[in-house]
Amino acid sequence: MTTALTRPVAAETTVHTDDGARLAVTVLSPLGPASGTTVVLAHGWAAARRVWGTVADRLIREGHRVVLYDQRGHGASTSGREPFGIDRLGADLGAVLDHVEAPDAIVVGHSGGGFAALSYVAGGSRKLAGLVLLGTAAHDQDTPDSEVKMMGSALFSRALRRPALGRKLLGQTMGKRVDRRALEVNRQMFAATSPEVRADAFRSSRGMDLREPLAAVRIPAVVLAGDGDRVIKPELGRAVADALVEARFEELAGAGHMLPLETPEAVVRAVRELVDRQP
């Protein structure tokens, strides 16, 4: 029998951005004694809130309030009037933080969600309690035309809808020892994202270079990268840690790009480290 202690309380809400997008948000209450910490989880391109399932479950069991949201155009969120862009995504994160009244949250950003988190703090919003950055970068994300075209193609979308073929096509995004169920979750999210949004998202990071403004950011941070990441090279994660004044970098052996699915305990451990560092 499930007791109140083991039943997470989830609240669904919507954030309306200033350009008309509607961002779908889930707020999970902590299980057991509350830590007083809110953790906001920002997913990457062609994913959705569900990528954080195991991470979110472990965080609420450690007493944290957890906020998950779908990036614009992804999952249950809509696109707004403004073009899909890194500055816009940083503003979206700020709108979510304001809506859930957690300006001092720990933000965990994976891949494109990391771009959003870095854009948010680089723009001068520096009240966060901490940053956990997973498989992400601050520069050198000039997606070639061929990849953008593939992301937006109907042929690629049809292939993604075929489970075995879709898992094979996306296999390089994950480490060699990853569970097949994680591969399937990744495929389902990728296939559910519209080709237009996939193309806009992968195009959006061209020309991005946040390293200079990040040098003024004094927020405790942990930057994690899989040593087998073939989507965003681990050395780009190290460059993020080098740009931030209070960051630690760690390379995870055997992991690929999809760290929320591949190494959830490492993500939770990084959050725990930042919580322990709070005064």
Side-chain angles (χ1 to χ4, degrees):
M1 179 177 179
T2 303
T3 66
L5 181 63
T6 58
R7 185 185 301 118
V9 177
E12 300 295 325
T13 186
T14 302
V15 172
H16 297 268
T17 70
D18 58 9
D19 76 325
R22 297 189 304 276
L23 306 181
V25 180
T26 301
V27 181
L28 299 173
S29 298
L31 293 177
S35 68
T37 298
T38 296
V39 183
V40 176
L41 306 175
H43 67 76
W45 306 155
R49 286 171 288 179
R50 68 178 294 202
V51 78
W52 300 109
T54 302
V55 171
D57 180 72
R58 295 184 184 185
L59 289 172
I60 62 174
R61 292 180 187 279
E62 294 199 3
H64 307 313
R65 177 179 179 239
V66 174
V67 177
L68 313 93
Y69 72 102
D70 287 335
Q71 301 271 17
R72 61 175 49 217
H74 292 73
S77 294
T78 67
S79 299
R81 292 183 297 273
E82 289 187 18
F84 199 105
I86 301 304
D87 291 344
R88 181 67 254 179
L89 294 169
D92 288 352
L93 172 58
V96 172
L97 291 166
D98 288 345
H99 185 82
V100 301
E101 299 181 337
D104 58 348
I106 292 174
V107 172
V108 183
H110 171 242
S111 194
F115 304 165
L118 291 172
S119 173
Y120 176 73
V121 298
S125 302
R126 297 166 187 160
K127 296 181 181 179
L128 297 179
L131 287 166
V132 178
L133 301 164
L134 314 171
T136 197
H139 77 297
D140 193 24
Q141 291 300 289
D142 298 329
T143 310
D145 287 340
S146 59
E147 186 173 346
V148 171
K149 184 177 180 180
M150 180 184 73
M151 290 297 161
S153 76
L155 180 62
F156 184 55
S157 295
R158 287 196 296 272
L160 287 173
R161 290 193 291 269
R162 298 174 60 183
L165 179 57
R167 289 193 298 270
K168 183 177 181 180
L169 288 171
L170 297 175
Q172 66 175 354
T173 67
M174 306 179 84
K176 294 180 180 179
R177 297 191 298 273
V178 70
D179 189 289
R180 178 175 170 172
R181 289 170 295 184
L183 284 168
E184 176 59 16
V185 169
N186 190 35
R187 182 202 67 81
Q188 290 175 11
M189 293 187 298
F190 226 97
T193 307
S194 76
E196 294 80 12
V197 169
R198 288 197 306 261
D200 286 346
F202 279 81
R203 185 188 297 112
S204 69
S205 58
R206 289 174 171 174
M208 177 183 71
D209 193 342
L210 301 171
R211 289 173 293 176
E212 184 175 346
L214 290 179
V217 174
R218 283 166 170 77
I219 297 174
V222 178
V223 183
L224 303 179
D227 68 355
D229 192 335
R230 289 178 282 177
V231 178
I232 296 180
K233 296 178 288 187
E235 51 263 38
L236 294 175
R238 188 180 296 277
V240 171
D242 289 342
L244 291 164
V245 176
E246 299 182 34
R248 178 182 73 80
F249 176 75
E250 181 180 349
E251 200 165 300
L252 302 175
H257 182 65
M258 295 300 296
L259 299 184
L261 293 173
E262 296 181 67
T263 60
E265 184 51 48
V267 179
V268 174
R269 188 169 60 247
V271 172
R272 192 181 304 136
E273 175 184 330
L274 295 179
V275 171
D276 290 344
R277 287 168 60 178
Q278 294 181 17

